[in-house]
Amino acid sequence: MIPPQFEYYRAQSVDDAVSALRAGGEDAKALAGGMSLIPVLKMRMSSPPLLVDIGALQSLNYVRVDSDQVCVGALTRHRDLMSSAVLRDALPLLADTAYDVGDAQVRARGTIGGVLAHADSAGDYCMVSLLLDAHIVTTDRVIAAQDFFEGFMETCLGSDELITEIRFPVSRGPHTYIKFRRRRSDWAVIGVGVQRSLDDARACRIGLTNAGFTVSRAPEAEEVYSAGGTADDVAAAAAAHASPLADLAGDVEYKKALIAELTRRAITEVGAQ
Ligand SMILES: Cc1cc2nc3c(=O)[nH]c(=O)nc-3n(C[C@H](O)[C@H](O)[C@H](O)COP(=O)(O)OP(=O)(O)OC[C@H]3O[C@@H](n4cnc5c(N)ncnc54)[C@H](O)[C@@H]3O)c2cc1C
């Protein structure tokens, strides 16, 4: 599989990248780790006239803890996240999530900003950003994760807008992310994340990975939890209201059964009421 022809430009700075994208027109694309974009090009699902390579912009590769938030540069690679001592201390869920992304090659090249911009509903950080109420900083604005994902591989990003940073609140309260896949290097068939509130024992957030066209929360299941439902009740509500898609990994019934089981385990792990 050979990609269609494109012009290539290696950006020297964030401003330089934005100018190049603007000059390249609305079909020009940023290239970060290339782990999703290059396969898309090889399958000829997209044919941008210009790729603006931002992969060498080291200023966007960092993890910082800033009082009550963890700030992660958009070009931080999965491997850097999983091995960051700062992150493991402040937000272990994110470090663990990075450890479970793809295989060693993908973790060495792929970036957190690339996962969010690609907006695959199987993208682990997409769900984690919703679960933890993250904010996505771009060259133009700050966007709440709940407003960022708009549909099947669609975000609200403009064509010349780059993600520069992701801000996660330092997590307060028990949380977990359980991901089911056939082989270690596979994407999630289904994933379920749960974040329980420390302030309100009857509140929790539940996020679903690869359970529909886009990543989502499970508001009906969250309500059942708030109303004092058991882990089984919450699990049943999550499965009943989800709309997973049938694919080679399984049919809808199988995926709903997985949503129920993973939700039950996750709720039990963070402490069912
Ligand atoms: C075999 C395999 C297994 C994988 N398994 C998993 C998995 O288990 N979980 C998971 O979450 N992911 C998985 N991935 C995807 C991987 O995490 C990629 O790193 C990610 O999807 C894209 O990141 P990237 O840096 O490679 O972005 P690229 O491929 O370079 O870009 C992807 C898209 O994002 C845009 N983009 C990139 N960076 C920015 C930015 N800063 N601002 C605006 N737009 C930007 C690009 O223009 C492009 O449209 C897997 C990939 C492969 C090949």
Side-chain angles (χ1 to χ4, degrees):
M1 288 189 289
I2 299 170
Q5 274 206 333
F6 52 83
E7 295 290 319
Y8 172 88
Y9 179 74
R10 191 178 176 107
Q12 304 302 315
S13 68
V14 173
D15 287 347
D16 185 33
V18 170
S19 304
L21 284 169
R22 200 162 288 153
E26 64 175 25
D27 291 332
K29 287 252 173 226
L31 174 70
M35 290 293 102
S36 293
L37 184 53
I38 297 299
V40 162
L41 299 187
K42 284 181 164 181
M43 287 185 279
R44 306 254 170 163
M45 289 162 65
S46 169
S47 51
L50 169 70
L51 294 190
V52 177
D53 190 347
I54 57 172
L57 301 181
Q58 275 308 311
S59 62
L60 297 185
N61 183 350
Y62 58 84
V63 178
R64 285 184 206 128
V65 178
D66 202 6
S67 64
D68 58 350
Q69 55 186 2
V70 179
C71 304
V72 180
L75 281 168
T76 312
R77 299 182 193 277
H78 312 310
R79 191 176 60 186
D80 298 330
L81 289 172
M82 74 184 221
S83 56
S84 161
V86 173
L87 189 62
R88 193 147 288 286
D89 188 45
L91 195 51
L93 182 75
L94 192 58
D96 290 342
T97 300
Y99 175 76
D100 272 337
V101 168
D103 53 29
Q105 288 94 329
V106 171
R107 291 193 292 275
R109 297 290 312 158
T111 65
I112 185 169
V115 174
L116 296 179
H118 190 58
D120 192 316
S121 88
D124 295 304
Y125 306 121
C126 303
M127 194 287 292
V128 169
S129 68
L130 270 187
L131 183 72
L132 300 181
D133 211 8
H135 282 76
I136 294 153
V137 184
T138 76
T139 40
D140 294 341
R141 55 200 163 135
V142 179
I143 309 162
Q146 65 193 15
D147 301 325
F148 184 76
F149 303 103
E150 293 198 326
F152 180 66
M153 291 186 169
E154 260 182 40
T155 70
C156 62
L157 282 177
S159 58
D160 58 358
E161 187 175 11
L162 287 175
I163 301 174
T164 54
E165 182 176 272
I166 304 95
R167 294 181 185 156
F168 297 89
V170 170
S171 187
R172 298 172 64 250
H175 52 264
T176 188
Y177 176 37
I178 307 179
K179 171 171 159 179
F180 179 82
R181 61 228 155 123
R182 294 187 188 282
R183 294 171 306 178
R184 197 198 177 292
S185 60
D186 286 348
W187 296 79
V189 176
I190 292 289
V192 176
V194 171
Q195 159 82 59
R196 221 182 77 198
S197 164
L198 203 57
D199 307 321
D200 178 358
R202 300 191 75 161
C204 84
R205 299 164 73 93
I206 301 173
L208 304 177
T209 306
N210 210 10
F213 280 113
T214 185
V215 282
S216 59
R217 300 236 326 252
E220 297 85 1
E222 293 173 0
E223 276 170 31
V224 171
Y225 185 91
S226 299
T230 64
D232 283 338
D233 297 333
V234 178
H241 292 278
S243 309
L245 307 172
D247 57 22
L248 289 176
D251 58 20
V252 170
E253 203 184 335
Y254 170 71
K255 294 202 175 176
K256 283 193 172 233
L258 266 180
I259 292 168
E261 179 56 23
L262 299 187
T263 305
R264 190 189 63 72
R265 289 186 200 178
I267 290 284
T268 306
E269 192 177 321
V270 302
Q273 46 211 342

